[in-house]
């Protein structure tokens, strides 16, 4: 299979960490006799500087013609600190998600044995945590009609969902659960919200086509407790846009380091893979940014295209770097390894797979 | 001051724990030369059994004529397991909140030195946590217009807020911050929601009248992380109804025991104080339910009426019971102390204040 992969390095440490992910994909090509076609394009602040827009037409075109997008990071302080800025780097990613119809955001939450000390949660609570959140990404209250009355004393936002919007992501989540521990938890607030009751009805119906998957329901306020009381109880979490935003950010704390967290955003025809961390401009060019989240987003890309063995090899090599302490200084004070060295080590261990 | 206090014991362990709170208030009368007038009325399942409704007219009348309501707990499994039940115990509390116009829910979040081991969070993360959440309780998406289209394929909920709704709770929260560490954090999603932008505008404006209080803002997804990464950073949190539901339940995990958590619901003319725990029907009549949440809700009542010294004495006596291990079995396995004994110990220590 010759996958066409658009590389969008973006801003800050984006280019550095993405380069390590590409190294790892090249190691996969070499080891597993795969072929990837990489093409690069600007996005974010660098695209504004070069082309006047955070998502140039040529970049969007490249993404649409590719099988997948591997994304670095986006954002630059010079735009954050300018309240008059008309275009912002972040718009590039939002627009790209919309143009590519990426309706499902997927975030794995894992506890790494070597990083248990870094979590604010106790070892015994998080050890063995392994779940994945499917968050609806293009509907709900973030995109519903907004109103402000004329004298500015009343404001509203509409949370709206259709059966189709729920259905397409529910199928993805059930399929994922089928290949995992066969449990799906729908997080909603069906005791209060009409839209949540529709979610529950549609997901229950779809669940009948996946009899091997156990479906349960949890109210979002209870879920906010359960995620930290007993994260091991979860396998696949499915939820609407805003609940997913809150719950997945809460879940990101469990692992103890944001530098390890990858995500995928999936549409009918395209998919985008990226670390959840930002562009971390203070670290730019210093060879200190943690490349693991970017490398793991490349692993998610491989998994998405059914390259299970290849994805496993990447994750295994990442585990080895953590176990051997070949990590950037954010994970180990005074570490002598930089972004590049960690990337080299992981890529090397994909090739030298045991 | 002769405060008129309506006692609504409710269901399950409600009557047992409320009786301990009353003991403590009687100890306050004795010690501080105060006078409280207690009158009792049924609510919840027991009211359905007796009067056919979870909130009988006489109960509502008593509450309206009182200065404050001290509430036990509500709920009975015989109604939960009956999908055809037309009236449910929980409606009693919802209706009461509405009838009394209780627009602000207040929840303190504290780490108790003796209970640090019970939390899923690490000691060093939670030790010294002391904040309070002001949650708007009668507006927002839980009460907004709900729609379901005719063929049941599209559903929506409206999140609406007015300046007045925001203003009245904001004043309460700023006043609280003034008497505490002088910091107020508004939790919203103002980068996306119009209603959040109205919250931010109104709260910023009101903040000008409280120049001694430092005001900051936090997006709700970030807040879900910060609450567990660094709970010590908070003093007073102010937020809308649904965010408050999620964040306060997440915060309830910090202390390590739900048996200690009290809450207040405040209106213009009335106020209701209750433990956050439920009716725990399995424990009913067994003298094992933890009375501390109920006793601390009585302390919140005293504070609400400016009886600061009295409230302090109650909290001090609770601390002593925790320190001396005079607690129910939920906090100490094989504890020989029951609900009654813990209540006696705390009441006794209010009288014998050092
Ligand atoms: Mg977020
Ligand atoms: Mg709740």
């Amino acid at each position: 299979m010759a996958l066409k992969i658009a590389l969008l390095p973006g801003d800050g440490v984006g280019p550095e960490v993405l380069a390590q992910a590409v190294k790892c994909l090249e190691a996969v090509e070499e080891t597993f006799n795969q072929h990837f076609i990489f093409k690069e394009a600007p996005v974010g602040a660098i695209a504004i500087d070069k082309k006047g827009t955070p998502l140039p037409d040529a970049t969007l075109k490249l993404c649409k013609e590719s099988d997948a997008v591997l994304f670095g990071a986006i954002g630059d302080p010079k735009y954050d600190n300018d309240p008059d800025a008309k275009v912002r780097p972040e718009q590039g990613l939002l627009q790209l998600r919309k143009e590519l119809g990426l309706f499902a955001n997927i975030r794995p939450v894992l506890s790494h044995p070597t990083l248990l000390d870094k979590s604010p949660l106790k070892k015994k609570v998080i050890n063995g945590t392994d779940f994945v959140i499917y968050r609806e990404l293009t509907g709900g209250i973030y995109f519903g009609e907004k109103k402000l009355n004329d004298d500015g004393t009343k404001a509203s936002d509409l949370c709206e969902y259709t059966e189709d919007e729920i259905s397409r992501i529910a199928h993805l989540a059930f399929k994922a659960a089928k290949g995992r521990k066969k449990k799906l938890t729908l997080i909603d607030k069906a005791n209060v919200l009409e839209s949540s009751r529709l979610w529950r009805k549609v997901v229950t119906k779809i669940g009948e086509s996946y009899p091997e998957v156990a479906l349960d329901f949890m109210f979002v306020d209870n879920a906010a407790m359960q995620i930290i009381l007993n994260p091991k109880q979860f396998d696949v979490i499915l939820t609407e846009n805003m609940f997913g935003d809150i719950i997945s950010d809460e879940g990101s704390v469990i692992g103890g380091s944001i530098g390890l967290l990858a995500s995928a955003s999936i549409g009918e025809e395209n998919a985008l893979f990226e670390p959840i961390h930002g562009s971390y401009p203070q670290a730019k060019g210093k060879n200190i940014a943690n490349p693991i989240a970017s490398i793991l987003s490349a692993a998610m890309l491989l998994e998405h295209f059914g390259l299970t063995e290849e994805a496993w090899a990447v994750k295994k090599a990442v585990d080895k770097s953590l176990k051997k302490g070949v990590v950037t200084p954010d994970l180990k004070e005074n570490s002598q390894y930089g972004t590049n060295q960690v990337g080299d080590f992981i890529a090397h261990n994909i090739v030298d797979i045991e």
Side-chain angles (χ1 to χ4, degrees), chain A:
Chain A
M1 155 158 39
L3 281 179
K4 281 183 261 179
I5 301 175
L7 301 177
L8 272 57
D11 308 320
V13 300
E16 297 165 57
V17 298
L18 188 64
Q20 312 313 313
V22 172
K23 259 182 210 168
C24 293
L25 288 175
E26 286 168 347
V28 165
E29 286 185 299
E30 193 181 325
T31 314
F32 294 91
N33 198 23
Q34 294 290 350
H35 186 44
F36 306 130
I37 299 155
F38 298 110
K39 283 192 182 157
E40 197 175 308
V43 72
I46 195 170
I48 300 178
D49 294 347
K50 280 186 186 164
K51 311 271 176 184
T53 164
L55 183 66
D57 290 343
T59 300
L60 178 60
K61 188 163 175 282
L62 173 68
C63 293
K64 285 190 170 170
E65 289 168 1
S66 302
D67 296 304
V69 179
L70 202 55
F71 198 92
I74 219 167
D76 191 293
K78 82 176 163 195
Y79 294 94
D80 294 344
N81 302 331
D82 177 6
D84 295 327
K86 285 210 185 67
V87 284
R88 291 174 187 280
E90 290 75 9
Q91 291 166 350
L93 180 56
L94 294 177
Q95 203 191 329
L96 184 58
R97 282 183 182 157
K98 203 180 152 188
E99 293 279 354
L100 299 179
L102 307 177
F103 60 82
N105 185 255
I106 304 169
R107 282 227 213 153
V109 178
L110 276 164
S111 71
H112 286 269
T114 51
L115 294 177
L116 293 175
D117 285 337
K118 295 221 160 246
S119 177
L121 288 150
K122 286 178 181 154
K123 250 186 217 191
K124 63 174 180 200
V125 175
I126 57 170
N127 197 10
T129 296
D130 179 3
F131 65 89
V132 56
I133 301 171
Y134 278 69
R135 165 190 171 191
E136 204 288 327
L137 201 57
T138 55
I141 197 167
Y142 288 180
F143 293 93
E145 190 185 13
K146 285 154 202 353
K147 282 187 188 167
L148 181 68
N149 71 350
D150 287 341
D151 60 354
T153 57
K154 186 156 94 176
S156 70
D157 301 272
L158 187 69
C159 176
E160 190 171 70
Y161 269 107
T162 65
E163 183 169 357
D164 290 346
E165 287 173 312
I166 299 166
S167 177
R168 59 187 182 180
I169 186 171
H171 279 289
L172 286 184
F174 273 109
K175 276 174 200 153
K178 233 174 115 169
R180 293 176 46 101
K181 290 173 277 172
K182 299 183 173 46
K183 182 178 169 186
L184 192 148
T185 303
L186 176 66
I187 292 179
D188 63 25
K189 190 73 184 179
N191 52 343
V192 184
L193 301 181
E194 196 66 45
S195 53
S196 283
R197 288 189 277 268
L198 181 61
W199 271 84
R200 214 171 255 220
K201 195 186 80 180
V202 173
V203 170
T204 302
K205 186 86 195 297
I206 290 171
E208 292 166 10
S209 323
Y210 300 88
E212 61 279 71
V213 176
L215 171 65
D216 67 359
F217 308 99
M218 194 177 272
F219 296 141
V220 61
D221 48 337
N222 185 30
M225 291 197 274
Q226 294 301 325
I227 290 261
I228 47 180
L229 277 173
N230 181 16
K232 284 176 257 189
Q233 73 187 284
F234 297 108
D235 179 22
V236 174
I237 285 175
L238 169 63
T239 191
E240 61 97 66
N241 198 349
M242 190 174 69
F243 295 159
D245 187 13
I246 297 170
I247 292 294
S248 61
D249 282 348
E250 185 185 353
S252 74
V253 170
I254 293 174
S257 170
I258 208 168
L260 263 59
L261 295 175
S263 75
S265 299
I266 308 287
E268 305 288 359
E269 320 241 289
N270 219 308
L272 180 149
F273 303 86
E274 59 179 324
I276 76 159
H277 63 67
S279 62
Y280 192 17
Q282 312 91 302
K284 182 181 176 174
K286 293 190 181 155
N287 194 35
I288 56 169
N290 191 339
I292 293 185
S294 185
I295 291 170
L296 288 176
S297 64
M300 288 187 84
L301 183 157
L302 295 169
E303 245 163 19
H304 180 70
F305 290 102
L307 303 175
T308 317
E309 205 187 336
E310 289 82 349
W312 183 85
V314 175
K315 290 192 278 184
K316 207 75 196 161
V318 166
D319 283 348
K320 199 165 177 182
S321 81
L322 291 170
K323 216 182 284 173
K324 299 248 173 195
V326 182
V327 292
T328 41
D330 54 309
L331 296 186
K332 201 176 78 180
E333 243 183 294
N334 303 320
S335 171
Q336 82 240 51
Y337 302 102
T339 312
N340 256 304
Q341 289 71 46
V342 173
D344 286 343
F345 179 89
I346 296 172
H348 181 84
N349 275 284
I350 294 168
V351 176
D352 281 352
I353 196 164
E354 287 135 40

